[in-house]
Amino acid sequence: MFYNDSFRFFAASLLDASADTTGVYLQLFVLCMLQNRDVLAIAQREIDDVVGYDHVPELDDIERLPYVRATIKEVCVPVCLGPKYSLLDMC
């Protein structure tokens, strides 16, 4: 009984942690794109040129989207948030 409860708690903790991380990453990405409209415009142009207008980008398209791939990786770069930094300094 104890083992099953511990396993359930551990699994729920992992799920909760990943959901928080994903949500924060998406919020940070949107914030950075809103503050850097030129980057957003270039990424959108690349998506339009490579993927077109008839469907949304799929995982198979990422190899042909180097600017979009680099933009996504740039948001993933960890930044030390200390007294002199704020969330807005990250973008």
Side-chain angles (χ1 to χ4, degrees), residues 18-50:
S18 65
D20 287 346
T21 303
T22 302
V24 168
Y25 173 76
L26 289 173
Q27 289 175 354
L28 180 60
F29 184 81
V30 170
L31 177 64
C32 288
M33 290 298 97
L34 290 174
Q35 288 187 333
N36 297 285
R37 304 258 175 154
D38 54 332
V39 173
L40 178 61
I42 295 170
Q44 183 65 56
R45 196 171 321 119
E46 182 180 70
I47 291 171
D48 293 342
D49 292 344
V50 172

Side-chain angles (χ1 to χ4, degrees), residues 66-81:
Y67 191 84
V68 171
R69 195 170 57 239
T71 302
I72 292 169
K73 286 181 181 180
E74 188 67 26
V75 176
C76 290
V77 173
V79 175
C80 178
L81 294 177

Side-chain angles (χ1 to χ4, degrees), residues 52-65:
Y53 298 99
D54 57 341
H55 70 280
V56 296
E58 298 175 355
L59 199 53
D60 295 337
D61 297 321
I62 197 68
E63 294 300 320
R64 298 178 301 149
L65 300 167

